Each structure stands twice: as structure tokens, then as C-alpha cells.
Amino acid sequence: MAGGYPIPDLAPGQFHRTELVVRRSRFITSVGHAPGVEAAKSIIAKVCEEFPDASHNCFAYNASEPGATAFA
């Protein structure tokens, strides 16, 4: 897919993480594989527990089958 982002091949429970600092603010992105909605919610909870002092926790997930156009 031209212009897309490569998705890291991660085992369940593994995260890919990047961090960016802008004007003394840290922006941390965590990406993990979730085979379903409950697994995605579990990953979100783990990340929130890891950074309890974060002032914002934003998340998104897609738990649809590959190629699906509907959201879960």
C-alpha cells in the first residue's frame, strides 16, 4: 500500500513503541496486536496502568477482519 505505515510483526503481548518530545511534552505511541475487542481493551488497560501519570490517554483499535469496511 503506497503511503501507508508498515505494521510490525508482533507476538501477542508485545508492543512496538515510539516516543516524541515536543516542547517538554512526551507523546508515546504503543502498538500491539489484538485478535478481538476484549484483547484490544486489555492492551489499552495495560498501557494506561504503565503510564498512570499521563494527562491524556488516546486510543484507537480496529477489530474487524482484514479488508472489512465495518467498525466493531
Short mmCIF file of all heavy atoms in Angstrom, two decimals:
data_model
loop_
_atom_site.label_atom_id
_atom_site.label_comp_id
_atom_site.label_asym_id
_atom_site.label_seq_id
_atom_site.Cartn_x
_atom_site.Cartn_y
_atom_site.Cartn_z
N MET A 1 0.84 -1.17 0.00
CA MET A 1 0.00 0.00 0.00
C MET A 1 0.89 1.23 0.00
O MET A 1 1.64 1.47 0.94
CB MET A 1 -0.90 -0.02 1.23
CG MET A 1 -1.78 1.18 1.36
SD MET A 1 -3.03 0.78 2.57
CE MET A 1 -3.07 2.20 3.54
N ALA A 2 0.83 2.01 -1.01
CA ALA A 2 1.66 3.20 -1.13
C ALA A 2 1.22 4.24 -0.11
O ALA A 2 0.05 4.50 0.08
CB ALA A 2 1.55 3.77 -2.53
N GLY A 3 2.20 4.82 0.56
CA GLY A 3 1.91 5.87 1.53
C GLY A 3 1.41 5.37 2.86
O GLY A 3 1.07 6.16 3.73
N GLY A 4 1.33 4.06 3.06
CA GLY A 4 0.86 3.51 4.33
C GLY A 4 2.00 3.35 5.32
O GLY A 4 3.15 3.71 5.06
N TYR A 5 1.66 2.86 6.47
CA TYR A 5 2.65 2.61 7.51
C TYR A 5 2.85 1.11 7.64
O TYR A 5 1.86 0.37 7.73
CB TYR A 5 2.18 3.17 8.85
CG TYR A 5 2.07 4.67 8.85
CD1 TYR A 5 0.85 5.30 8.62
CD2 TYR A 5 3.18 5.45 9.08
CE1 TYR A 5 0.75 6.67 8.62
CE2 TYR A 5 3.09 6.83 9.08
CZ TYR A 5 1.86 7.43 8.85
OH TYR A 5 1.77 8.79 8.85
N PRO A 6 4.09 0.64 7.68
CA PRO A 6 4.31 -0.80 7.86
C PRO A 6 3.88 -1.21 9.27
O PRO A 6 4.11 -0.50 10.23
CB PRO A 6 5.82 -0.96 7.67
CG PRO A 6 6.40 0.39 7.90
CD PRO A 6 5.33 1.38 7.54
N ILE A 7 3.23 -2.34 9.35
CA ILE A 7 2.78 -2.85 10.64
C ILE A 7 3.80 -3.85 11.15
O ILE A 7 4.12 -4.82 10.46
CB ILE A 7 1.40 -3.53 10.50
CG1 ILE A 7 0.38 -2.50 10.01
CG2 ILE A 7 0.96 -4.15 11.82
CD1 ILE A 7 -0.94 -3.10 9.63
N PRO A 8 4.35 -3.62 12.34
CA PRO A 8 5.35 -4.56 12.88
C PRO A 8 4.72 -5.92 13.14
O PRO A 8 3.56 -6.01 13.53
CB PRO A 8 5.80 -3.91 14.19
CG PRO A 8 5.06 -2.65 14.35
CD PRO A 8 4.09 -2.51 13.23
N ASP A 9 5.48 -6.98 12.91
CA ASP A 9 5.02 -8.34 13.16
C ASP A 9 5.27 -8.62 14.64
O ASP A 9 6.38 -8.94 15.05
CB ASP A 9 5.79 -9.32 12.27
CG ASP A 9 5.28 -10.74 12.41
OD1 ASP A 9 4.15 -10.92 12.92
OD2 ASP A 9 6.00 -11.66 12.02
N LEU A 10 4.23 -8.49 15.45
CA LEU A 10 4.36 -8.61 16.89
C LEU A 10 3.65 -9.86 17.39
O LEU A 10 2.56 -10.19 16.92
CB LEU A 10 3.74 -7.39 17.58
CG LEU A 10 4.34 -6.04 17.23
CD1 LEU A 10 3.48 -4.93 17.80
CD2 LEU A 10 5.76 -5.95 17.73
N ALA A 11 4.25 -10.51 18.36
CA ALA A 11 3.61 -11.64 19.03
C ALA A 11 2.58 -11.08 20.02
O ALA A 11 2.70 -9.93 20.46
CB ALA A 11 4.65 -12.47 19.77
N PRO A 12 1.56 -11.85 20.37
CA PRO A 12 0.61 -11.38 21.37
C PRO A 12 1.33 -10.96 22.65
O PRO A 12 2.25 -11.63 23.11
CB PRO A 12 -0.28 -12.61 21.62
CG PRO A 12 -0.21 -13.37 20.34
CD PRO A 12 1.21 -13.16 19.84
N GLY A 13 0.94 -9.82 23.18
CA GLY A 13 1.57 -9.31 24.40
C GLY A 13 2.76 -8.40 24.15
O GLY A 13 3.23 -7.73 25.06
N GLN A 14 3.28 -8.36 22.92
CA GLN A 14 4.39 -7.47 22.59
C GLN A 14 3.86 -6.12 22.12
O GLN A 14 2.76 -6.04 21.56
CB GLN A 14 5.25 -8.04 21.47
CG GLN A 14 6.20 -9.12 21.88
CD GLN A 14 7.11 -9.48 20.72
OE1 GLN A 14 6.66 -9.58 19.58
NE2 GLN A 14 8.38 -9.67 21.00
N PHE A 15 4.66 -5.09 22.34
CA PHE A 15 4.31 -3.75 21.89
C PHE A 15 5.43 -3.18 21.03
O PHE A 15 6.60 -3.50 21.23
CB PHE A 15 4.16 -2.79 23.09
CG PHE A 15 2.99 -3.08 23.96
CD1 PHE A 15 3.15 -3.74 25.15
CD2 PHE A 15 1.73 -2.66 23.59
CE1 PHE A 15 2.07 -3.99 25.97
CE2 PHE A 15 0.64 -2.91 24.39
CZ PHE A 15 0.81 -3.58 25.59
N HIS A 16 5.07 -2.36 20.10
CA HIS A 16 6.03 -1.51 19.38
C HIS A 16 5.78 -0.12 19.94
O HIS A 16 4.63 0.32 20.04
CB HIS A 16 5.77 -1.55 17.88
CG HIS A 16 6.62 -0.58 17.12
ND1 HIS A 16 7.95 -0.79 16.89
CD2 HIS A 16 6.32 0.62 16.58
CE1 HIS A 16 8.44 0.24 16.22
NE2 HIS A 16 7.46 1.11 16.01
N ARG A 17 6.83 0.57 20.33
CA ARG A 17 6.64 1.86 20.99
C ARG A 17 7.56 2.90 20.39
O ARG A 17 8.73 2.63 20.11
CB ARG A 17 6.92 1.71 22.48
CG ARG A 17 6.67 2.99 23.25
CD ARG A 17 6.55 2.76 24.71
NE ARG A 17 5.26 2.14 24.99
CZ ARG A 17 5.02 1.39 26.06
NH1 ARG A 17 5.95 1.16 26.94
NH2 ARG A 17 3.84 0.86 26.24
N THR A 18 7.02 4.09 20.18
CA THR A 18 7.82 5.24 19.78
C THR A 18 7.48 6.40 20.70
O THR A 18 6.40 6.45 21.29
CB THR A 18 7.55 5.66 18.32
OG1 THR A 18 6.17 5.99 18.18
CG2 THR A 18 7.93 4.58 17.34
N GLU A 19 8.43 7.31 20.83
CA GLU A 19 8.24 8.47 21.71
C GLU A 19 8.73 9.72 20.99
O GLU A 19 9.75 9.71 20.31
CB GLU A 19 9.01 8.27 23.01
CG GLU A 19 8.83 9.39 23.99
CD GLU A 19 9.52 9.13 25.32
OE1 GLU A 19 9.71 7.95 25.68
OE2 GLU A 19 9.87 10.11 26.00
N LEU A 20 8.00 10.79 21.18
CA LEU A 20 8.35 12.08 20.60
C LEU A 20 8.19 13.14 21.69
O LEU A 20 7.19 13.14 22.41
CB LEU A 20 7.41 12.39 19.43
CG LEU A 20 7.53 13.75 18.77
CD1 LEU A 20 8.87 13.88 18.05
CD2 LEU A 20 6.39 13.93 17.78
N VAL A 21 9.18 14.01 21.83
CA VAL A 21 9.10 15.10 22.80
C VAL A 21 8.95 16.41 22.03
O VAL A 21 9.76 16.72 21.16
CB VAL A 21 10.34 15.14 23.71
CG1 VAL A 21 10.26 16.32 24.68
CG2 VAL A 21 10.49 13.83 24.47
N VAL A 22 7.91 17.16 22.36
CA VAL A 22 7.63 18.45 21.74
C VAL A 22 7.38 19.44 22.87
O VAL A 22 6.41 19.28 23.63
CB VAL A 22 6.41 18.39 20.81
CG1 VAL A 22 6.12 19.77 20.23
CG2 VAL A 22 6.61 17.37 19.71
N ARG A 23 8.23 20.43 22.97
CA ARG A 23 8.07 21.49 23.98
C ARG A 23 7.84 20.91 25.37
O ARG A 23 6.88 21.25 26.05
CB ARG A 23 6.95 22.44 23.60
CG ARG A 23 7.23 23.20 22.35
CD ARG A 23 6.12 24.17 22.06
NE ARG A 23 6.35 24.80 20.77
CZ ARG A 23 5.46 25.52 20.13
NH1 ARG A 23 4.28 25.73 20.66
NH2 ARG A 23 5.75 26.05 18.97
N ARG A 24 8.68 20.01 25.78
CA ARG A 24 8.68 19.37 27.10
C ARG A 24 7.48 18.45 27.32
O ARG A 24 7.24 17.99 28.43
CB ARG A 24 8.77 20.40 28.22
CG ARG A 24 10.04 21.20 28.20
CD ARG A 24 10.17 22.15 29.35
NE ARG A 24 8.90 22.43 30.00
CZ ARG A 24 8.56 23.58 30.54
NH1 ARG A 24 9.39 24.58 30.50
NH2 ARG A 24 7.40 23.74 31.13
N SER A 25 6.71 18.16 26.29
CA SER A 25 5.61 17.20 26.40
C SER A 25 6.02 15.91 25.70
O SER A 25 6.55 15.94 24.60
CB SER A 25 4.34 17.74 25.73
OG SER A 25 3.85 18.85 26.43
N ARG A 26 5.76 14.77 26.36
CA ARG A 26 6.07 13.46 25.80
C ARG A 26 4.83 12.88 25.13
O ARG A 26 3.76 12.84 25.74
CB ARG A 26 6.52 12.50 26.89
CG ARG A 26 7.86 12.80 27.45
CD ARG A 26 8.18 11.92 28.64
NE ARG A 26 8.24 10.52 28.27
CZ ARG A 26 8.11 9.52 29.14
NH1 ARG A 26 7.90 9.76 30.41
NH2 ARG A 26 8.19 8.28 28.72
N PHE A 27 5.00 12.43 23.91
CA PHE A 27 3.94 11.75 23.18
C PHE A 27 4.43 10.32 22.95
O PHE A 27 5.43 10.11 22.26
CB PHE A 27 3.65 12.45 21.85
CG PHE A 27 3.11 13.85 22.04
CD1 PHE A 27 3.98 14.92 22.16
CD2 PHE A 27 1.75 14.07 22.11
CE1 PHE A 27 3.50 16.21 22.34
CE2 PHE A 27 1.26 15.35 22.28
CZ PHE A 27 2.13 16.43 22.40
N ILE A 28 3.76 9.36 23.54
CA ILE A 28 4.18 7.96 23.48
C ILE A 28 3.12 7.17 22.72
O ILE A 28 1.94 7.21 23.07
CB ILE A 28 4.37 7.38 24.89
CG1 ILE A 28 5.39 8.21 25.66
CG2 ILE A 28 4.79 5.92 24.81
CD1 ILE A 28 5.44 7.91 27.14
N THR A 29 3.55 6.47 21.69
CA THR A 29 2.66 5.63 20.91
C THR A 29 3.00 4.17 21.17
O THR A 29 4.16 3.78 21.07
CB THR A 29 2.81 5.93 19.40
OG1 THR A 29 2.55 7.30 19.18
CG2 THR A 29 1.87 5.08 18.59
N SER A 30 1.99 3.39 21.51
CA SER A 30 2.18 1.96 21.73
C SER A 30 1.27 1.22 20.76
O SER A 30 0.08 1.51 20.67
CB SER A 30 1.79 1.59 23.16
OG SER A 30 2.55 2.32 24.09
N VAL A 31 1.83 0.26 20.04
CA VAL A 31 1.07 -0.54 19.07
C VAL A 31 1.20 -2.00 19.46
O VAL A 31 2.29 -2.49 19.74
CB VAL A 31 1.63 -0.33 17.64
CG1 VAL A 31 0.88 -1.20 16.65
CG2 VAL A 31 1.54 1.13 17.24
N GLY A 32 0.09 -2.70 19.48
CA GLY A 32 0.11 -4.12 19.78
C GLY A 32 -0.95 -4.85 18.97
O GLY A 32 -1.90 -4.24 18.48
N HIS A 33 -0.78 -6.14 18.81
CA HIS A 33 -1.75 -6.96 18.06
C HIS A 33 -2.84 -7.44 19.02
O HIS A 33 -2.56 -7.94 20.10
CB HIS A 33 -1.05 -8.17 17.44
CG HIS A 33 -2.03 -9.12 16.81
ND1 HIS A 33 -2.69 -8.83 15.64
CD2 HIS A 33 -2.46 -10.33 17.22
CE1 HIS A 33 -3.49 -9.83 15.35
NE2 HIS A 33 -3.36 -10.75 16.28
N ALA A 34 -4.08 -7.28 18.60
CA ALA A 34 -5.22 -7.77 19.37
C ALA A 34 -6.13 -8.56 18.44
O ALA A 34 -6.62 -8.02 17.46
CB ALA A 34 -5.98 -6.61 20.00
N PRO A 35 -6.38 -9.82 18.74
CA PRO A 35 -7.23 -10.63 17.87
C PRO A 35 -8.72 -10.33 18.02
O PRO A 35 -9.52 -10.84 17.26
CB PRO A 35 -6.91 -12.06 18.29
CG PRO A 35 -6.44 -11.94 19.69
CD PRO A 35 -5.76 -10.61 19.79
N GLY A 36 -9.10 -9.48 18.96
CA GLY A 36 -10.52 -9.15 19.15
C GLY A 36 -10.68 -7.93 20.04
O GLY A 36 -9.70 -7.38 20.56
N VAL A 37 -11.92 -7.54 20.25
CA VAL A 37 -12.23 -6.33 21.02
C VAL A 37 -11.75 -6.44 22.46
O VAL A 37 -11.14 -5.51 23.00
CB VAL A 37 -13.75 -6.04 20.97
CG1 VAL A 37 -14.11 -4.87 21.88
CG2 VAL A 37 -14.18 -5.74 19.54
N GLU A 38 -12.01 -7.55 23.11
CA GLU A 38 -11.61 -7.70 24.52
C GLU A 38 -10.08 -7.65 24.67
O GLU A 38 -9.57 -7.07 25.63
CB GLU A 38 -12.18 -8.98 25.12
CG GLU A 38 -13.69 -8.94 25.27
CD GLU A 38 -14.20 -7.71 26.02
OE1 GLU A 38 -13.64 -7.37 27.07
OE2 GLU A 38 -15.17 -7.09 25.55
N ALA A 39 -9.37 -8.24 23.73
CA ALA A 39 -7.91 -8.18 23.77
C ALA A 39 -7.42 -6.74 23.57
O ALA A 39 -6.47 -6.31 24.22
CB ALA A 39 -7.30 -9.09 22.71
N ALA A 40 -8.09 -6.00 22.69
CA ALA A 40 -7.73 -4.60 22.48
C ALA A 40 -7.96 -3.79 23.75
O ALA A 40 -7.10 -2.98 24.14
CB ALA A 40 -8.54 -4.02 21.33
N LYS A 41 -9.07 -4.02 24.41
CA LYS A 41 -9.35 -3.31 25.67
C LYS A 41 -8.32 -3.67 26.75
O LYS A 41 -7.94 -2.82 27.55
CB LYS A 41 -10.76 -3.64 26.15
CG LYS A 41 -11.83 -3.00 25.28
CD LYS A 41 -13.22 -3.37 25.77
CE LYS A 41 -14.29 -2.73 24.90
NZ LYS A 41 -15.65 -3.08 25.36
N SER A 42 -7.86 -4.90 26.75
CA SER A 42 -6.84 -5.33 27.70
C SER A 42 -5.52 -4.61 27.44
O SER A 42 -4.84 -4.17 28.38
CB SER A 42 -6.64 -6.84 27.61
OG SER A 42 -5.59 -7.26 28.43
N ILE A 43 -5.14 -4.47 26.17
CA ILE A 43 -3.91 -3.74 25.83
C ILE A 43 -4.01 -2.29 26.27
O ILE A 43 -3.08 -1.74 26.87
CB ILE A 43 -3.63 -3.83 24.31
CG1 ILE A 43 -3.22 -5.24 23.93
CG2 ILE A 43 -2.56 -2.82 23.89
CD1 ILE A 43 -3.12 -5.49 22.43
N ILE A 44 -5.16 -1.67 26.02
CA ILE A 44 -5.36 -0.28 26.43
C ILE A 44 -5.23 -0.14 27.93
O ILE A 44 -4.56 0.78 28.43
CB ILE A 44 -6.74 0.22 25.94
CG1 ILE A 44 -6.76 0.30 24.41
CG2 ILE A 44 -7.08 1.58 26.55
CD1 ILE A 44 -8.14 0.43 23.81
N ALA A 45 -5.82 -1.05 28.69
CA ALA A 45 -5.73 -1.01 30.15
C ALA A 45 -4.28 -1.16 30.62
O ALA A 45 -3.84 -0.45 31.54
CB ALA A 45 -6.60 -2.11 30.76
N LYS A 46 -3.51 -2.05 29.99
CA LYS A 46 -2.10 -2.24 30.37
C LYS A 46 -1.28 -0.98 30.13
O LYS A 46 -0.46 -0.59 30.94
CB LYS A 46 -1.49 -3.41 29.60
CG LYS A 46 -1.97 -4.76 30.06
CD LYS A 46 -1.38 -5.87 29.22
CE LYS A 46 -1.99 -7.20 29.58
NZ LYS A 46 -1.49 -8.29 28.74
N VAL A 47 -1.51 -0.33 28.98
CA VAL A 47 -0.77 0.90 28.67
C VAL A 47 -1.15 2.00 29.67
O VAL A 47 -0.28 2.72 30.17
CB VAL A 47 -1.01 1.34 27.21
CG1 VAL A 47 -0.41 2.71 26.96
CG2 VAL A 47 -0.40 0.32 26.26
N CYS A 48 -2.43 2.12 30.00
CA CYS A 48 -2.86 3.12 30.97
C CYS A 48 -2.26 2.86 32.35
O CYS A 48 -1.89 3.80 33.05
CB CYS A 48 -4.39 3.16 31.05
SG CYS A 48 -5.18 3.86 29.58
N GLU A 49 -2.15 1.60 32.74
CA GLU A 49 -1.52 1.24 34.01
C GLU A 49 -0.03 1.57 34.00
O GLU A 49 0.54 1.96 35.01
CB GLU A 49 -1.71 -0.24 34.30
CG GLU A 49 -3.11 -0.62 34.69
CD GLU A 49 -3.28 -2.12 34.83
OE1 GLU A 49 -2.27 -2.86 34.84
OE2 GLU A 49 -4.45 -2.57 34.91
N GLU A 50 0.60 1.39 32.85
CA GLU A 50 2.04 1.65 32.73
C GLU A 50 2.37 3.14 32.85
O GLU A 50 3.43 3.51 33.33
CB GLU A 50 2.54 1.12 31.39
CG GLU A 50 4.04 1.20 31.24
CD GLU A 50 4.53 0.60 29.93
OE1 GLU A 50 3.74 -0.02 29.20
OE2 GLU A 50 5.73 0.75 29.66
N PHE A 51 1.44 3.99 32.43
CA PHE A 51 1.65 5.44 32.48
C PHE A 51 0.53 6.11 33.27
O PHE A 51 -0.28 6.87 32.73
CB PHE A 51 1.70 6.01 31.05
CG PHE A 51 2.81 5.45 30.22
CD1 PHE A 51 2.56 4.47 29.27
CD2 PHE A 51 4.12 5.88 30.39
CE1 PHE A 51 3.58 3.93 28.50
CE2 PHE A 51 5.15 5.35 29.64
CZ PHE A 51 4.88 4.38 28.69
N PRO A 52 0.46 5.84 34.60
CA PRO A 52 -0.65 6.37 35.40
C PRO A 52 -0.63 7.90 35.54
O PRO A 52 -1.65 8.50 35.84
CB PRO A 52 -0.48 5.69 36.75
CG PRO A 52 0.98 5.38 36.83
CD PRO A 52 1.39 5.07 35.41
N ASP A 53 0.52 8.51 35.31
CA ASP A 53 0.62 9.97 35.44
C ASP A 53 0.31 10.70 34.14
O ASP A 53 0.39 11.93 34.09
CB ASP A 53 2.01 10.36 35.94
CG ASP A 53 3.13 9.89 35.02
OD1 ASP A 53 2.92 8.95 34.25
OD2 ASP A 53 4.22 10.47 35.10
N ALA A 54 -0.08 9.98 33.09
CA ALA A 54 -0.39 10.62 31.81
C ALA A 54 -1.63 11.51 31.96
O ALA A 54 -2.61 11.12 32.58
CB ALA A 54 -0.63 9.57 30.74
N SER A 55 -1.55 12.70 31.37
CA SER A 55 -2.71 13.59 31.45
C SER A 55 -3.74 13.28 30.37
O SER A 55 -4.89 13.69 30.48
CB SER A 55 -2.26 15.05 31.36
OG SER A 55 -1.60 15.29 30.14
N HIS A 56 -3.34 12.57 29.33
CA HIS A 56 -4.24 12.16 28.26
C HIS A 56 -3.91 10.73 27.84
O HIS A 56 -2.75 10.38 27.72
CB HIS A 56 -4.08 13.05 27.02
CG HIS A 56 -4.46 14.46 27.23
ND1 HIS A 56 -3.65 15.36 27.87
CD2 HIS A 56 -5.57 15.14 26.88
CE1 HIS A 56 -4.24 16.53 27.90
NE2 HIS A 56 -5.40 16.43 27.31
N ASN A 57 -4.92 9.94 27.63
CA ASN A 57 -4.76 8.60 27.07
C ASN A 57 -5.72 8.49 25.90
O ASN A 57 -6.93 8.40 26.08
CB ASN A 57 -5.07 7.51 28.10
CG ASN A 57 -4.01 7.39 29.14
OD1 ASN A 57 -2.86 7.12 28.81
ND2 ASN A 57 -4.35 7.60 30.40
N CYS A 58 -5.18 8.53 24.70
CA CYS A 58 -5.98 8.41 23.48
C CYS A 58 -5.74 7.03 22.88
O CYS A 58 -4.61 6.55 22.91
CB CYS A 58 -5.59 9.50 22.48
SG CYS A 58 -5.73 11.17 23.16
N PHE A 59 -6.77 6.42 22.36
CA PHE A 59 -6.59 5.10 21.78
C PHE A 59 -7.52 4.91 20.59
O PHE A 59 -8.51 5.61 20.43
CB PHE A 59 -6.83 4.01 22.81
CG PHE A 59 -8.20 4.05 23.42
CD1 PHE A 59 -9.24 3.35 22.83
CD2 PHE A 59 -8.46 4.78 24.57
CE1 PHE A 59 -10.50 3.39 23.37
CE2 PHE A 59 -9.72 4.81 25.13
CZ PHE A 59 -10.75 4.12 24.53
N ALA A 60 -7.16 3.93 19.79
CA ALA A 60 -7.99 3.51 18.67
C ALA A 60 -7.68 2.04 18.41
O ALA A 60 -6.58 1.58 18.69
CB ALA A 60 -7.67 4.33 17.43
N TYR A 61 -8.67 1.33 17.92
CA TYR A 61 -8.42 -0.03 17.51
C TYR A 61 -9.39 -0.41 16.41
O TYR A 61 -10.45 0.17 16.25
CB TYR A 61 -8.51 -1.03 18.68
CG TYR A 61 -9.84 -1.12 19.37
CD1 TYR A 61 -10.83 -1.98 18.91
CD2 TYR A 61 -10.11 -0.36 20.50
CE1 TYR A 61 -12.04 -2.08 19.55
CE2 TYR A 61 -11.32 -0.45 21.14
CZ TYR A 61 -12.29 -1.32 20.67
OH TYR A 61 -13.50 -1.42 21.30
N ASN A 62 -8.97 -1.39 15.62
CA ASN A 62 -9.80 -1.95 14.57
C ASN A 62 -9.82 -3.44 14.82
O ASN A 62 -8.80 -4.10 14.70
CB ASN A 62 -9.22 -1.63 13.19
CG ASN A 62 -10.05 -2.21 12.08
OD1 ASN A 62 -10.87 -3.09 12.30
ND2 ASN A 62 -9.82 -1.73 10.88
N ALA A 63 -10.97 -3.96 15.17
CA ALA A 63 -11.08 -5.38 15.48
C ALA A 63 -11.84 -6.13 14.40
O ALA A 63 -12.41 -7.18 14.65
CB ALA A 63 -11.75 -5.55 16.84
N SER A 64 -11.87 -5.58 13.21
CA SER A 64 -12.57 -6.23 12.10
C SER A 64 -11.65 -7.20 11.38
O SER A 64 -10.44 -7.20 11.56
CB SER A 64 -13.04 -5.16 11.10
OG SER A 64 -13.90 -4.24 11.72
N GLU A 65 -12.26 -8.03 10.56
CA GLU A 65 -11.49 -8.93 9.71
C GLU A 65 -10.73 -8.10 8.67
O GLU A 65 -11.19 -7.03 8.26
CB GLU A 65 -12.43 -9.91 9.00
CG GLU A 65 -13.09 -10.90 9.93
CD GLU A 65 -12.10 -11.86 10.56
OE1 GLU A 65 -11.16 -12.30 9.87
OE2 GLU A 65 -12.26 -12.16 11.75
N PRO A 66 -9.57 -8.59 8.22
CA PRO A 66 -8.84 -7.86 7.17
C PRO A 66 -9.73 -7.60 5.96
O PRO A 66 -10.46 -8.47 5.52
CB PRO A 66 -7.68 -8.80 6.82
CG PRO A 66 -7.48 -9.62 8.05
CD PRO A 66 -8.86 -9.79 8.64
N GLY A 67 -9.71 -6.36 5.50
CA GLY A 67 -10.49 -5.98 4.33
C GLY A 67 -11.92 -5.57 4.65
O GLY A 67 -12.64 -5.12 3.76
N ALA A 68 -12.35 -5.69 5.90
CA ALA A 68 -13.71 -5.32 6.27
C ALA A 68 -13.87 -3.81 6.27
O ALA A 68 -12.92 -3.08 6.49
CB ALA A 68 -14.05 -5.88 7.66
N THR A 69 -15.08 -3.35 6.01
CA THR A 69 -15.33 -1.92 6.00
C THR A 69 -16.16 -1.46 7.18
O THR A 69 -16.35 -0.27 7.39
CB THR A 69 -16.05 -1.49 4.70
OG1 THR A 69 -17.27 -2.23 4.60
CG2 THR A 69 -15.17 -1.76 3.49
N ALA A 70 -16.67 -2.38 7.99
CA ALA A 70 -17.48 -2.03 9.17
C ALA A 70 -16.58 -1.92 10.40
O ALA A 70 -15.54 -2.57 10.49
CB ALA A 70 -18.54 -3.09 9.40
N PHE A 71 -17.00 -1.11 11.34
CA PHE A 71 -16.26 -0.96 12.59
C PHE A 71 -16.90 -1.84 13.65
O PHE A 71 -18.10 -2.03 13.68
CB PHE A 71 -16.27 0.49 13.06
CG PHE A 71 -15.48 1.39 12.18
CD1 PHE A 71 -16.10 2.20 11.24
CD2 PHE A 71 -14.10 1.43 12.26
CE1 PHE A 71 -15.37 3.04 10.41
CE2 PHE A 71 -13.37 2.26 11.46
CZ PHE A 71 -14.01 3.07 10.52
N ALA A 72 -16.04 -2.35 14.55
CA ALA A 72 -16.53 -3.20 15.63
C ALA A 72 -17.05 -2.37 16.77
O ALA A 72 -16.70 -1.27 16.97
CB ALA A 72 -15.41 -4.11 16.13
#
